[in-house]
Amino acid sequence: HHPAYLAASFDLAGPTFRDKIVTDYKATRAAMPDDLQEQINWVHEACEAMGVPILTAAGYEADDVIGTVALRAAQEGFEVAIVSIDKDFFQLVRDGVRVYDPREDGAWFDEPGVIAKFGVKPGQVVDVLALVGDTSDNVAGVPGIGKKGALDLINQFGSLDALLARVDELKPKQREALTSHREDAIQSRQLVTIRTDVPVDVNFESLRYRGASRERCY
């Protein structure tokens, strides 16, 4: 795709602000295998050798760094592509920011694409995720409300806040679930929201893609 500017981000070891919100965040994930762990630094070196600088920020996940840089770049007038297979990035899609899924032949997602693929507008994605939860990250969500139910509710009420304010209008089972797990839903939304205010220093000119370093790659 010949990007004019390019960067990658990786999670750093250690806790993030999400671990302060809930102590068992990502606790259900299996430990990284030792033979993968020892390759991480090599992967970072390979990126740098191929001309792809790495941006990180202590206390934040790679997603937050990507979100911050993407929005800042869009504000600077760049056409931004977030390359990821992670549906959570749909929440960042807007004018100047698209998501590119590199699997198979590749797929681009602008706002209509997010609606067609996920079922709601980009600004509503976090509210759906807050209801559904995420077992891979140990995000609770609201028990008993699956993705279809969450999509129906957010499309009907418009947002999680509006849904919680009008919970009396729901069917008994949904009303009970949301009444009992109101705080879980709000906390889950905090956890799945990609931060866009990470204190990462970015000089966009340093991200201009100049190609690989033949010597470093060798």
Side-chain angles (χ1 to χ4, degrees), residues 53-90:
I54 296 170
L55 303 175
T56 57
Y60 297 89
E61 294 181 45
D63 290 9
D64 304 308
V65 175
I66 292 169
T68 298
V69 175
L71 263 61
R72 204 176 295 172
Q75 290 166 358
E76 294 279 336
F78 289 89
E79 287 292 321
V80 179
I82 298 173
V83 182
S84 177
I85 64 173
D86 190 346
K87 65 184 181 302
D88 291 5
F89 282 114
F90 284 167

PDB file of all heavy atoms in Angstrom, residues 53-90:
ATOM      1  N   PRO A  53       9.522   2.295  12.880  1.00  0.00           N
ATOM      2  CA  PRO A  53       9.809   2.664  14.266  1.00  0.00           C
ATOM      3  C   PRO A  53       8.702   2.204  15.206  1.00  0.00           C
ATOM      4  O   PRO A  53       7.535   2.078  14.802  1.00  0.00           O
ATOM      5  CB  PRO A  53       9.896   4.190  14.220  1.00  0.00           C
ATOM      6  CG  PRO A  53       9.136   4.583  13.002  1.00  0.00           C
ATOM      7  CD  PRO A  53       9.301   3.465  12.021  1.00  0.00           C
ATOM      8  N   ILE A  54       9.076   1.943  16.449  1.00  0.00           N
ATOM      9  CA  ILE A  54       8.137   1.439  17.450  1.00  0.00           C
ATOM     10  C   ILE A  54       7.823   2.537  18.462  1.00  0.00           C
ATOM     11  O   ILE A  54       8.723   3.183  18.991  1.00  0.00           O
ATOM     12  CB  ILE A  54       8.716   0.210  18.165  1.00  0.00           C
ATOM     13  CG1 ILE A  54       8.888  -0.943  17.163  1.00  0.00           C
ATOM     14  CG2 ILE A  54       7.823  -0.231  19.315  1.00  0.00           C
ATOM     15  CD1 ILE A  54       9.664  -2.120  17.715  1.00  0.00           C
ATOM     16  N   LEU A  55       6.542   2.722  18.723  1.00  0.00           N
ATOM     17  CA  LEU A  55       6.080   3.708  19.707  1.00  0.00           C
ATOM     18  C   LEU A  55       5.445   2.964  20.881  1.00  0.00           C
ATOM     19  O   LEU A  55       4.604   2.083  20.683  1.00  0.00           O
ATOM     20  CB  LEU A  55       5.053   4.650  19.084  1.00  0.00           C
ATOM     21  CG  LEU A  55       5.506   5.428  17.843  1.00  0.00           C
ATOM     22  CD1 LEU A  55       4.330   6.230  17.279  1.00  0.00           C
ATOM     23  CD2 LEU A  55       6.671   6.353  18.179  1.00  0.00           C
ATOM     24  N   THR A  56       5.839   3.293  22.098  1.00  0.00           N
ATOM     25  CA  THR A  56       5.273   2.676  23.292  1.00  0.00           C
ATOM     26  C   THR A  56       5.096   3.741  24.370  1.00  0.00           C
ATOM     27  O   THR A  56       5.665   4.831  24.283  1.00  0.00           O
ATOM     28  CB  THR A  56       6.187   1.563  23.848  1.00  0.00           C
ATOM     29  OG1 THR A  56       7.477   2.107  24.117  1.00  0.00           O
ATOM     30  CG2 THR A  56       6.325   0.407  22.864  1.00  0.00           C
ATOM     31  N   ALA A  57       4.321   3.396  25.396  1.00  0.00           N
ATOM     32  CA  ALA A  57       4.138   4.301  26.538  1.00  0.00           C
ATOM     33  C   ALA A  57       3.891   3.463  27.781  1.00  0.00           C
ATOM     34  O   ALA A  57       2.978   2.627  27.798  1.00  0.00           O
ATOM     35  CB  ALA A  57       2.966   5.251  26.293  1.00  0.00           C
ATOM     36  N   ALA A  58       4.699   3.664  28.804  1.00  0.00           N
ATOM     37  CA  ALA A  58       4.542   2.931  30.055  1.00  0.00           C
ATOM     38  C   ALA A  58       3.187   3.239  30.682  1.00  0.00           C
ATOM     39  O   ALA A  58       2.740   4.381  30.700  1.00  0.00           O
ATOM     40  CB  ALA A  58       5.668   3.308  31.017  1.00  0.00           C
ATOM     41  N   GLY A  59       2.529   2.197  31.172  1.00  0.00           N
ATOM     42  CA  GLY A  59       1.238   2.377  31.822  1.00  0.00           C
ATOM     43  C   GLY A  59       0.058   2.333  30.872  1.00  0.00           C
ATOM     44  O   GLY A  59      -1.093   2.467  31.300  1.00  0.00           O
ATOM     45  N   TYR A  60       0.337   2.169  29.584  1.00  0.00           N
ATOM     46  CA  TYR A  60      -0.724   2.108  28.574  1.00  0.00           C
ATOM     47  C   TYR A  60      -0.474   0.909  27.655  1.00  0.00           C
ATOM     48  O   TYR A  60       0.656   0.440  27.520  1.00  0.00           O
ATOM     49  CB  TYR A  60      -0.757   3.383  27.730  1.00  0.00           C
ATOM     50  CG  TYR A  60      -1.081   4.628  28.520  1.00  0.00           C
ATOM     51  CD1 TYR A  60      -0.066   5.375  29.118  1.00  0.00           C
ATOM     52  CD2 TYR A  60      -2.395   5.047  28.682  1.00  0.00           C
ATOM     53  CE1 TYR A  60      -0.354   6.513  29.856  1.00  0.00           C
ATOM     54  CE2 TYR A  60      -2.684   6.187  29.423  1.00  0.00           C
ATOM     55  CZ  TYR A  60      -1.676   6.919  30.002  1.00  0.00           C
ATOM     56  OH  TYR A  60      -1.960   8.039  30.725  1.00  0.00           O
ATOM     57  N   GLU A  61      -1.542   0.448  27.016  1.00  0.00           N
ATOM     58  CA  GLU A  61      -1.403  -0.637  26.056  1.00  0.00           C
ATOM     59  C   GLU A  61      -1.091  -0.070  24.674  1.00  0.00           C
ATOM     60  O   GLU A  61      -1.297   1.125  24.407  1.00  0.00           O
ATOM     61  CB  GLU A  61      -2.687  -1.466  26.018  1.00  0.00           C
ATOM     62  CG  GLU A  61      -2.968  -2.204  27.323  1.00  0.00           C
ATOM     63  CD  GLU A  61      -4.229  -3.051  27.253  1.00  0.00           C
ATOM     64  OE1 GLU A  61      -4.421  -3.755  26.240  1.00  0.00           O
ATOM     65  OE2 GLU A  61      -5.030  -3.003  28.201  1.00  0.00           O
ATOM     66  N   ALA A  62      -0.630  -0.955  23.813  1.00  0.00           N
ATOM     67  CA  ALA A  62      -0.339  -0.546  22.440  1.00  0.00           C
ATOM     68  C   ALA A  62      -1.573   0.065  21.783  1.00  0.00           C
ATOM     69  O   ALA A  62      -1.461   1.032  21.014  1.00  0.00           O
ATOM     70  CB  ALA A  62       0.156  -1.743  21.632  1.00  0.00           C
ATOM     71  N   ASP A  63      -2.748  -0.471  22.077  1.00  0.00           N
ATOM     72  CA  ASP A  63      -3.985   0.065  21.490  1.00  0.00           C
ATOM     73  C   ASP A  63      -4.140   1.550  21.792  1.00  0.00           C
ATOM     74  O   ASP A  63      -4.578   2.333  20.939  1.00  0.00           O
ATOM     75  CB  ASP A  63      -5.203  -0.680  22.043  1.00  0.00           C
ATOM     76  CG  ASP A  63      -5.306  -2.107  21.539  1.00  0.00           C
ATOM     77  OD1 ASP A  63      -4.344  -2.588  20.900  1.00  0.00           O
ATOM     78  OD2 ASP A  63      -6.338  -2.752  21.793  1.00  0.00           O
ATOM     79  N   ASP A  64      -3.809   1.933  23.026  1.00  0.00           N
ATOM     80  CA  ASP A  64      -3.955   3.335  23.433  1.00  0.00           C
ATOM     81  C   ASP A  64      -2.955   4.225  22.699  1.00  0.00           C
ATOM     82  O   ASP A  64      -3.281   5.360  22.319  1.00  0.00           O
ATOM     83  CB  ASP A  64      -3.760   3.464  24.943  1.00  0.00           C
ATOM     84  CG  ASP A  64      -4.700   2.570  25.730  1.00  0.00           C
ATOM     85  OD1 ASP A  64      -5.914   2.633  25.488  1.00  0.00           O
ATOM     86  OD2 ASP A  64      -4.212   1.793  26.572  1.00  0.00           O
ATOM     87  N   VAL A  65      -1.740   3.722  22.525  1.00  0.00           N
ATOM     88  CA  VAL A  65      -0.727   4.480  21.782  1.00  0.00           C
ATOM     89  C   VAL A  65      -1.180   4.668  20.337  1.00  0.00           C
ATOM     90  O   VAL A  65      -1.117   5.767  19.774  1.00  0.00           O
ATOM     91  CB  VAL A  65       0.642   3.762  21.827  1.00  0.00           C
ATOM     92  CG1 VAL A  65       1.661   4.490  20.957  1.00  0.00           C
ATOM     93  CG2 VAL A  65       1.140   3.675  23.269  1.00  0.00           C
ATOM     94  N   ILE A  66      -1.671   3.584  19.740  1.00  0.00           N
ATOM     95  CA  ILE A  66      -2.152   3.644  18.357  1.00  0.00           C
ATOM     96  C   ILE A  66      -3.320   4.628  18.246  1.00  0.00           C
ATOM     97  O   ILE A  66      -3.376   5.451  17.328  1.00  0.00           O
ATOM     98  CB  ILE A  66      -2.580   2.242  17.873  1.00  0.00           C
ATOM     99  CG1 ILE A  66      -1.350   1.341  17.758  1.00  0.00           C
ATOM    100  CG2 ILE A  66      -3.310   2.324  16.534  1.00  0.00           C
ATOM    101  CD1 ILE A  66      -1.677  -0.131  17.554  1.00  0.00           C
ATOM    102  N   GLY A  67      -4.253   4.552  19.188  1.00  0.00           N
ATOM    103  CA  GLY A  67      -5.398   5.462  19.159  1.00  0.00           C
ATOM    104  C   GLY A  67      -4.992   6.910  19.269  1.00  0.00           C
ATOM    105  O   GLY A  67      -5.497   7.778  18.548  1.00  0.00           O
ATOM    106  N   THR A  68      -4.049   7.188  20.159  1.00  0.00           N
ATOM    107  CA  THR A  68      -3.572   8.561  20.361  1.00  0.00           C
ATOM    108  C   THR A  68      -2.883   9.087  19.112  1.00  0.00           C
ATOM    109  O   THR A  68      -3.156  10.205  18.644  1.00  0.00           O
ATOM    110  CB  THR A  68      -2.595   8.617  21.555  1.00  0.00           C
ATOM    111  OG1 THR A  68      -3.296   8.217  22.743  1.00  0.00           O
ATOM    112  CG2 THR A  68      -2.037  10.009  21.746  1.00  0.00           C
ATOM    113  N   VAL A  69      -1.978   8.289  18.550  1.00  0.00           N
ATOM    114  CA  VAL A  69      -1.229   8.713  17.363  1.00  0.00           C
ATOM    115  C   VAL A  69      -2.160   8.850  16.161  1.00  0.00           C
ATOM    116  O   VAL A  69      -2.039   9.789  15.369  1.00  0.00           O
ATOM    117  CB  VAL A  69      -0.078   7.733  17.074  1.00  0.00           C
ATOM    118  CG1 VAL A  69       0.627   8.098  15.768  1.00  0.00           C
ATOM    119  CG2 VAL A  69       0.921   7.727  18.219  1.00  0.00           C
ATOM    120  N   ALA A  70      -3.109   7.929  16.031  1.00  0.00           N
ATOM    121  CA  ALA A  70      -4.040   7.968  14.898  1.00  0.00           C
ATOM    122  C   ALA A  70      -4.862   9.252  14.898  1.00  0.00           C
ATOM    123  O   ALA A  70      -4.992   9.934  13.865  1.00  0.00           O
ATOM    124  CB  ALA A  70      -4.956   6.752  14.944  1.00  0.00           C
ATOM    125  N   LEU A  71      -5.422   9.602  16.050  1.00  0.00           N
ATOM    126  CA  LEU A  71      -6.244  10.815  16.114  1.00  0.00           C
ATOM    127  C   LEU A  71      -5.410  12.074  15.950  1.00  0.00           C
ATOM    128  O   LEU A  71      -5.839  13.029  15.296  1.00  0.00           O
ATOM    129  CB  LEU A  71      -7.032  10.848  17.423  1.00  0.00           C
ATOM    130  CG  LEU A  71      -8.468  10.325  17.299  1.00  0.00           C
ATOM    131  CD1 LEU A  71      -8.483   8.877  16.847  1.00  0.00           C
ATOM    132  CD2 LEU A  71      -9.220  10.480  18.609  1.00  0.00           C
ATOM    133  N   ARG A  72      -4.223  12.069  16.541  1.00  0.00           N
ATOM    134  CA  ARG A  72      -3.353  13.225  16.397  1.00  0.00           C
ATOM    135  C   ARG A  72      -2.958  13.407  14.930  1.00  0.00           C
ATOM    136  O   ARG A  72      -2.923  14.530  14.418  1.00  0.00           O
ATOM    137  CB  ARG A  72      -2.101  13.037  17.266  1.00  0.00           C
ATOM    138  CG  ARG A  72      -1.429  14.347  17.648  1.00  0.00           C
ATOM    139  CD  ARG A  72      -0.245  14.105  18.581  1.00  0.00           C
ATOM    140  NE  ARG A  72      -0.629  13.561  19.877  1.00  0.00           N
ATOM    141  CZ  ARG A  72       0.248  13.137  20.785  1.00  0.00           C
ATOM    142  NH1 ARG A  72       1.539  13.198  20.529  1.00  0.00           N
ATOM    143  NH2 ARG A  72      -0.174  12.673  21.945  1.00  0.00           N
ATOM    144  N   ALA A  73      -2.670  12.296  14.249  1.00  0.00           N
ATOM    145  CA  ALA A  73      -2.298  12.359  12.837  1.00  0.00           C
ATOM    146  C   ALA A  73      -3.465  12.866  11.993  1.00  0.00           C
ATOM    147  O   ALA A  73      -3.284  13.679  11.081  1.00  0.00           O
ATOM    148  CB  ALA A  73      -1.839  10.982  12.351  1.00  0.00           C
ATOM    149  N   ALA A  74      -4.669  12.387  12.295  1.00  0.00           N
ATOM    150  CA  ALA A  74      -5.852  12.833  11.546  1.00  0.00           C
ATOM    151  C   ALA A  74      -6.057  14.334  11.724  1.00  0.00           C
ATOM    152  O   ALA A  74      -6.405  15.049  10.774  1.00  0.00           O
ATOM    153  CB  ALA A  74      -7.082  12.060  11.996  1.00  0.00           C
ATOM    154  N   GLN A  75      -5.838  14.824  12.953  1.00  0.00           N
ATOM    155  CA  GLN A  75      -5.972  16.257  13.215  1.00  0.00           C
ATOM    156  C   GLN A  75      -4.930  17.078  12.455  1.00  0.00           C
ATOM    157  O   GLN A  75      -5.150  18.243  12.136  1.00  0.00           O
ATOM    158  CB  GLN A  75      -5.851  16.515  14.720  1.00  0.00           C
ATOM    159  CG  GLN A  75      -7.042  16.005  15.516  1.00  0.00           C
ATOM    160  CD  GLN A  75      -6.779  15.942  17.014  1.00  0.00           C
ATOM    161  OE1 GLN A  75      -5.681  16.252  17.479  1.00  0.00           O
ATOM    162  NE2 GLN A  75      -7.777  15.525  17.783  1.00  0.00           N
ATOM    163  N   GLU A  76      -3.792  16.430  12.161  1.00  0.00           N
ATOM    164  CA  GLU A  76      -2.724  17.085  11.401  1.00  0.00           C
ATOM    165  C   GLU A  76      -2.954  16.995   9.899  1.00  0.00           C
ATOM    166  O   GLU A  76      -2.155  17.487   9.112  1.00  0.00           O
ATOM    167  CB  GLU A  76      -1.369  16.447  11.742  1.00  0.00           C
ATOM    168  CG  GLU A  76      -0.918  16.652  13.174  1.00  0.00           C
ATOM    169  CD  GLU A  76      -0.290  18.016  13.407  1.00  0.00           C
ATOM    170  OE1 GLU A  76       0.199  18.617  12.434  1.00  0.00           O
ATOM    171  OE2 GLU A  76      -0.318  18.495  14.553  1.00  0.00           O
ATOM    172  N   GLY A  77      -4.037  16.327   9.495  1.00  0.00           N
ATOM    173  CA  GLY A  77      -4.369  16.242   8.077  1.00  0.00           C
ATOM    174  C   GLY A  77      -3.945  14.967   7.375  1.00  0.00           C
ATOM    175  O   GLY A  77      -4.102  14.843   6.159  1.00  0.00           O
ATOM    176  N   PHE A  78      -3.410  14.008   8.122  1.00  0.00           N
ATOM    177  CA  PHE A  78      -3.026  12.730   7.524  1.00  0.00           C
ATOM    178  C   PHE A  78      -4.259  11.871   7.251  1.00  0.00           C
ATOM    179  O   PHE A  78      -5.258  11.956   7.966  1.00  0.00           O
ATOM    180  CB  PHE A  78      -2.104  11.943   8.461  1.00  0.00           C
ATOM    181  CG  PHE A  78      -0.720  12.506   8.606  1.00  0.00           C
ATOM    182  CD1 PHE A  78      -0.439  13.459   9.586  1.00  0.00           C
ATOM    183  CD2 PHE A  78       0.305  12.082   7.786  1.00  0.00           C
ATOM    184  CE1 PHE A  78       0.831  13.975   9.735  1.00  0.00           C
ATOM    185  CE2 PHE A  78       1.584  12.593   7.933  1.00  0.00           C
ATOM    186  CZ  PHE A  78       1.851  13.545   8.899  1.00  0.00           C
ATOM    187  N   GLU A  79      -4.174  11.028   6.225  1.00  0.00           N
ATOM    188  CA  GLU A  79      -5.144   9.960   6.019  1.00  0.00           C
ATOM    189  C   GLU A  79      -4.588   8.745   6.751  1.00  0.00           C
ATOM    190  O   GLU A  79      -3.543   8.215   6.375  1.00  0.00           O
ATOM    191  CB  GLU A  79      -5.332   9.665   4.522  1.00  0.00           C
ATOM    192  CG  GLU A  79      -6.118  10.724   3.777  1.00  0.00           C
ATOM    193  CD  GLU A  79      -7.574  10.767   4.218  1.00  0.00           C
ATOM    194  OE1 GLU A  79      -8.161   9.686   4.453  1.00  0.00           O
ATOM    195  OE2 GLU A  79      -8.120  11.877   4.350  1.00  0.00           O
ATOM    196  N   VAL A  80      -5.270   8.298   7.799  1.00  0.00           N
ATOM    197  CA  VAL A  80      -4.718   7.292   8.699  1.00  0.00           C
ATOM    198  C   VAL A  80      -5.311   5.911   8.436  1.00  0.00           C
ATOM    199  O   VAL A  80      -6.525   5.766   8.260  1.00  0.00           O
ATOM    200  CB  VAL A  80      -4.996   7.682  10.164  1.00  0.00           C
ATOM    201  CG1 VAL A  80      -4.450   6.627  11.122  1.00  0.00           C
ATOM    202  CG2 VAL A  80      -4.397   9.051  10.468  1.00  0.00           C
ATOM    203  N   ALA A  81      -4.436   4.915   8.448  1.00  0.00           N
ATOM    204  CA  ALA A  81      -4.863   3.522   8.370  1.00  0.00           C
ATOM    205  C   ALA A  81      -4.358   2.798   9.612  1.00  0.00           C
ATOM    206  O   ALA A  81      -3.158   2.761   9.866  1.00  0.00           O
ATOM    207  CB  ALA A  81      -4.314   2.849   7.116  1.00  0.00           C
ATOM    208  N   ILE A  82      -5.274   2.249  10.406  1.00  0.00           N
ATOM    209  CA  ILE A  82      -4.907   1.407  11.535  1.00  0.00           C
ATOM    210  C   ILE A  82      -4.932  -0.031  11.052  1.00  0.00           C
ATOM    211  O   ILE A  82      -5.987  -0.537  10.653  1.00  0.00           O
ATOM    212  CB  ILE A  82      -5.890   1.586  12.709  1.00  0.00           C
ATOM    213  CG1 ILE A  82      -5.855   3.024  13.216  1.00  0.00           C
ATOM    214  CG2 ILE A  82      -5.562   0.605  13.839  1.00  0.00           C
ATOM    215  CD1 ILE A  82      -6.909   3.328  14.272  1.00  0.00           C
ATOM    216  N   VAL A  83      -3.783  -0.667  11.047  1.00  0.00           N
ATOM    217  CA  VAL A  83      -3.684  -2.037  10.526  1.00  0.00           C
ATOM    218  C   VAL A  83      -3.839  -3.012  11.691  1.00  0.00           C
ATOM    219  O   VAL A  83      -2.961  -3.107  12.549  1.00  0.00           O
ATOM    220  CB  VAL A  83      -2.340  -2.262   9.810  1.00  0.00           C
ATOM    221  CG1 VAL A  83      -2.284  -3.677   9.229  1.00  0.00           C
ATOM    222  CG2 VAL A  83      -2.145  -1.234   8.706  1.00  0.00           C
ATOM    223  N   SER A  84      -4.961  -3.708  11.740  1.00  0.00           N
ATOM    224  CA  SER A  84      -5.224  -4.618  12.849  1.00  0.00           C
ATOM    225  C   SER A  84      -6.393  -5.528  12.517  1.00  0.00           C
ATOM    226  O   SER A  84      -7.269  -5.166  11.731  1.00  0.00           O
ATOM    227  CB  SER A  84      -5.547  -3.824  14.124  1.00  0.00           C
ATOM    228  OG  SER A  84      -5.866  -4.698  15.188  1.00  0.00           O
ATOM    229  N   ILE A  85      -6.398  -6.703  13.160  1.00  0.00           N
ATOM    230  CA  ILE A  85      -7.548  -7.596  13.032  1.00  0.00           C
ATOM    231  C   ILE A  85      -8.486  -7.437  14.239  1.00  0.00           C
ATOM    232  O   ILE A  85      -9.476  -8.147  14.347  1.00  0.00           O
ATOM    233  CB  ILE A  85      -7.109  -9.069  12.916  1.00  0.00           C
ATOM    234  CG1 ILE A  85      -6.406  -9.536  14.199  1.00  0.00           C
ATOM    235  CG2 ILE A  85      -6.202  -9.265  11.704  1.00  0.00           C
ATOM    236  CD1 ILE A  85      -6.097 -11.032  14.217  1.00  0.00           C
ATOM    237  N   ASP A  86      -8.169  -6.495  15.124  1.00  0.00           N
ATOM    238  CA  ASP A  86      -8.914  -6.309  16.366  1.00  0.00           C
ATOM    239  C   ASP A  86     -10.126  -5.405  16.150  1.00  0.00           C
ATOM    240  O   ASP A  86      -9.980  -4.235  15.798  1.00  0.00           O
ATOM    241  CB  ASP A  86      -7.986  -5.706  17.422  1.00  0.00           C
ATOM    242  CG  ASP A  86      -8.603  -5.696  18.815  1.00  0.00           C
ATOM    243  OD1 ASP A  86      -9.824  -5.902  18.931  1.00  0.00           O
ATOM    244  OD2 ASP A  86      -7.861  -5.462  19.788  1.00  0.00           O
ATOM    245  N   LYS A  87     -11.303  -5.951  16.407  1.00  0.00           N
ATOM    246  CA  LYS A  87     -12.559  -5.204  16.217  1.00  0.00           C
ATOM    247  C   LYS A  87     -12.654  -3.985  17.132  1.00  0.00           C
ATOM    248  O   LYS A  87     -13.408  -3.049  16.840  1.00  0.00           O
ATOM    249  CB  LYS A  87     -13.758  -6.116  16.471  1.00  0.00           C
ATOM    250  CG  LYS A  87     -13.865  -6.590  17.915  1.00  0.00           C
ATOM    251  CD  LYS A  87     -15.000  -7.579  18.124  1.00  0.00           C
ATOM    252  CE  LYS A  87     -15.114  -8.016  19.575  1.00  0.00           C
ATOM    253  NZ  LYS A  87     -13.898  -8.631  20.136  1.00  0.00           N
ATOM    254  N   ASP A  88     -11.900  -3.972  18.243  1.00  0.00           N
ATOM    255  CA  ASP A  88     -11.964  -2.833  19.168  1.00  0.00           C
ATOM    256  C   ASP A  88     -11.588  -1.523  18.473  1.00  0.00           C
ATOM    257  O   ASP A  88     -12.057  -0.452  18.856  1.00  0.00           O
ATOM    258  CB  ASP A  88     -11.031  -3.052  20.355  1.00  0.00           C
ATOM    259  CG  ASP A  88     -11.515  -4.170  21.279  1.00  0.00           C
ATOM    260  OD1 ASP A  88     -12.516  -4.829  20.939  1.00  0.00           O
ATOM    261  OD2 ASP A  88     -10.883  -4.378  22.329  1.00  0.00           O
ATOM    262  N   PHE A  89     -10.743  -1.597  17.446  1.00  0.00           N
ATOM    263  CA  PHE A  89     -10.311  -0.381  16.748  1.00  0.00           C
ATOM    264  C   PHE A  89     -11.423   0.260  15.932  1.00  0.00           C
ATOM    265  O   PHE A  89     -11.284   1.409  15.502  1.00  0.00           O
ATOM    266  CB  PHE A  89      -9.106  -0.674  15.852  1.00  0.00           C
ATOM    267  CG  PHE A  89      -7.810  -0.767  16.601  1.00  0.00           C
ATOM    268  CD1 PHE A  89      -7.125  -1.970  16.679  1.00  0.00           C
ATOM    269  CD2 PHE A  89      -7.274   0.331  17.248  1.00  0.00           C
ATOM    270  CE1 PHE A  89      -5.933  -2.065  17.375  1.00  0.00           C
ATOM    271  CE2 PHE A  89      -6.081   0.255  17.950  1.00  0.00           C
ATOM    272  CZ  PHE A  89      -5.410  -0.961  18.015  1.00  0.00           C
ATOM    273  N   PHE A  90     -12.529  -0.433  15.731  1.00  0.00           N
ATOM    274  CA  PHE A  90     -13.654   0.161  15.010  1.00  0.00           C
ATOM    275  C   PHE A  90     -14.140   1.431  15.703  1.00  0.00           C
ATOM    276  O   PHE A  90     -14.692   2.323  15.068  1.00  0.00           O
ATOM    277  CB  PHE A  90     -14.809  -0.835  14.895  1.00  0.00           C
ATOM    278  CG  PHE A  90     -14.606  -1.922  13.866  1.00  0.00           C
ATOM    279  CD1 PHE A  90     -15.434  -3.031  13.834  1.00  0.00           C
ATOM    280  CD2 PHE A  90     -13.595  -1.837  12.921  1.00  0.00           C
ATOM    281  CE1 PHE A  90     -15.276  -4.026  12.885  1.00  0.00           C
ATOM    282  CE2 PHE A  90     -13.414  -2.834  11.965  1.00  0.00           C
ATOM    283  CZ  PHE A  90     -14.259  -3.932  11.954  1.00  0.00           C
TER     284      PHE A  90
END
